[in-house]
Amino acid sequence: MMRLPPQRRVVILVLDGFGVGALPDSEGQQPNFNTLRSIDETAGDLQLPILESLGLGNLTPLSKIAPAPVAKGAYGRCSPIHPGADTYLGHQELMGGGLDRIESRLLSELKVPVTEALVNAGYEVDALERDSPALVVDGCVLVADNIEAASGLNINVTGSLDDKSFDELTSIGQIVRAVTPVGRIIVVASRGFGIDEIRAHVKEKSPGQVGVDSPELGVYNEHYQVRHLGIEFDVNEQLPTRALNAGHEVVLLGKAADVVRCDGAVRDNVVDTSAVMAGVCSALASMKSGLVVANIQETDLAGHEQDAQRYAEVLERVDRHLALLLDLLGDEDVLFITADHGNDPSVGSSRHTREFVPLLVAGSRVQSVDLGTRRTSADIGATAATLLGVAPLGSGTSFEEEIVCF
């Protein structure tokens, strides 16, 4: 007789780019960066009462967010083990691993196969300039390294929607994806600029890492569109597919709808923070049992723009919505709040920062306990798997017994 899955909802809320202190292996970066502390120190009168009550202030010394003497849930932090500091890889780790196929490669090392693939598909391809690894496609689209993450992790396809449709830009990205082993090909598009402006914002961030400074180019406006084409993983070992196959509903919201693979999941790739949080609440209102994975992208965008005040405002918006979300949790439900990497807005760079990420767990039966530092973010996915009654994932260690008393 088939065992029915528990009637339980699990929510994993990912605050994109919300680190809580530098990891020990953060080579080449400032040793004291800390996204949360930077916002706390520079962003005016920061008010995060719900996150504070869940133990956010217990994770790192802060001036405006106090430690909770008795937190309303479990708290700790995770040490992401994926290379660099990357959204796509961070989510794969969180969902249960599968990081062994990633190669760190600059476009300069992949220029020949990328050029050949694009030419064979009928595109015109030229070097940005002599000896540059960056490629200009059809005179208006730039293929270059992503300079907002560690060297060799990702490649960007940047274009203006005034020149090509987003579908056309995505087609170029898919061709590049097919011949490269890096973690992500990121298709970045907006309006109000052309190839001359793109050229003017090309920089070399580290030796050989040449790409577009997207925040300075101004792509993150109301016309912004993005597609994350990640290297494929065995989704059958990851949390969403395991949950779906066990009979649960699965909803992917925000950037999670783009970077997490799960055939059969409900998806809504919305960017606006309030819309993402409303989507979580709507899913909970109708879902009997299942998994909601939601990504708040606007925190990461504020980090790229090095705008601590905007970052704080996004966090405060999340905090206000959390009050309603917590009210919607049933007796069996559990909420995880975490991040995929850091993005300290005060370090003088638009690049992600390699940091510990928060681990806050809430629910009516979640105990107030210090979880310390987990060795990988995959422990969150593994814990969600045991809560939902599905088979162990490809990686991660469940801490269910430490937090709940069902």
Side-chain angles (χ1 to χ4, degrees):
M1 182 175 179
M2 186 177 69
R3 182 169 175 257
L4 295 175
Q7 294 295 297
R8 180 175 296 146
R9 287 93 56 86
V10 171
V11 178
I12 300 177
L13 180 65
V14 183
L15 304 179
D16 204 313
F18 190 49
V20 293
L23 284 163
D25 63 355
S26 304
E27 297 179 5
Q29 299 198 49
Q30 297 181 29
N32 62 344
F33 54 69
N34 184 318
T35 301
L36 173 56
R37 187 180 62 207
S38 293
I39 296 162
D40 179 70
E41 291 176 349
T42 63
D45 186 23
L46 184 65
Q47 298 289 328
L48 302 173
I50 302 298
L51 289 168
E52 182 176 302
S53 71
L54 295 176
L56 183 65
N58 299 60
L59 306 185
T60 187
L62 301 167
S63 61
K64 302 185 183 75
I65 306 299
V70 180
K72 294 181 179 178
Y75 60 89
R77 59 184 189 172
C78 295
S79 303
I81 60 172
H82 70 270
D86 181 71
T87 293
Y88 180 72
L89 296 184
H91 280 72
Q92 306 316 306
E93 180 179 343
L94 182 61
M95 293 297 105
L99 304 176
D100 55 340
R101 296 182 56 237
I102 303 296
E103 293 184 29
S104 180
R105 303 282 289 276
L106 290 168
L107 183 58
S108 59
E109 305 170 70
L110 304 165
K111 188 173 180 178
V112 171
V114 169
T115 300
E116 289 178 350
L118 289 167
V119 170
N120 290 340
Y123 292 98
E124 178 184 335
V125 182
D126 300 291
L128 177 68
E129 56 188 40
R130 186 175 180 180
D131 299 326
S132 172
L135 300 171
V136 179
V137 180
D138 282 358
C140 61
V141 180
L142 193 76
V143 179
D145 296 308
N146 175 289
I147 61 173
E148 296 176 1
S151 179
L153 281 184
N154 305 317
I155 292 172
N156 278 18
V157 174
T158 303
S160 174
L161 297 171
D162 299 324
D163 296 319
K164 282 187 180 292
S165 71
F166 192 64
D167 285 344
E168 290 174 310
L169 294 171
T170 300
S171 294
I172 294 172
Q174 289 168 334
I175 293 167
V176 178
R177 170 74 283 167
V179 294
T180 56
V182 299
R184 271 189 297 167
I185 307 300
I186 308 174
V187 182
V188 179
S190 192
R191 294 189 182 277
F193 57 84
I195 190 61
D196 290 340
E197 288 79 14
I198 294 174
R199 286 176 178 271
H201 289 87
V202 172
K203 297 180 178 179
E204 184 171 16
K205 277 286 183 167
S206 61
Q209 185 188 18
V210 177
V212 180
D213 189 325
S214 297
E216 287 193 4
L217 178 60
V219 300
Y220 300 136
N221 57 32
E222 68 273 18
H223 303 294
Y224 171 61
Q225 293 191 55
V226 64
R227 178 79 186 275
H228 301 267
L229 304 172
I231 196 167
E232 292 192 0
F233 293 89
D234 185 356
V235 296
N236 293 311
E237 293 191 353
Q238 294 188 338
L239 175 64
T241 299
R242 287 277 173 89
L244 194 73
N245 290 343
H248 292 290
E249 298 176 62
V250 176
V251 177
L252 305 174
L253 300 171
K255 196 193 294 187
D258 201 9
V259 299
V260 175
R261 284 183 56 218
C262 178
D263 294 338
V266 175
R267 299 173 181 273
D268 188 358
N269 187 9
V270 62
V271 175
D272 179 76
T273 296
S274 295
V276 175
M277 296 300 293
V280 176
C281 292
S282 177
L284 284 176
S286 61
M287 178 184 287
K288 292 183 178 180
S289 72
L291 171 70
V292 180
V293 183
N295 175 287
I296 301 296
Q297 185 179 4
E298 287 190 300
T299 43
D300 190 49
L301 298 182
H304 286 312
E305 293 173 347
Q306 302 169 63
D307 188 340
Q309 188 59 48
R310 180 189 175 192
Y311 205 129
E313 290 167 359
V314 176
L315 288 175
E316 289 177 339
R317 202 177 314 148
V318 170
D319 198 86
R320 289 193 294 271
H321 283 277
L322 279 174
L324 174 59
L325 196 163
L326 290 171
D327 284 344
L328 289 171
L329 294 181
D331 289 343
E332 301 289 322
D333 302 336
V334 177
L335 165 67
F336 296 89
I337 302 174
T338 189
D340 45 359
H341 53 75
N343 198 342
D344 191 329
S346 69
V347 298
S349 167
S350 64
R351 290 175 61 170
H352 292 160
T353 44
R354 185 159 170 73
E355 299 184 48
F356 293 103
V357 296
L359 169 57
L360 305 176
V361 193
S364 62
R365 300 191 185 184
V366 175
Q367 304 180 77
S368 178
V369 59
D370 184 351
L371 294 168
T373 300
R374 311 298 302 187
R375 64 170 296 274
T376 169
S377 295
D379 287 1
I380 296 175
T383 305
T386 57
L387 289 167
L388 291 171
V390 306
L393 309 180
S395 61
T397 301
S398 174
F399 50 84
E400 178 197 20
E401 293 185 356
E402 298 177 52
I403 63 170
V404 296
C405 47
F406 289 121

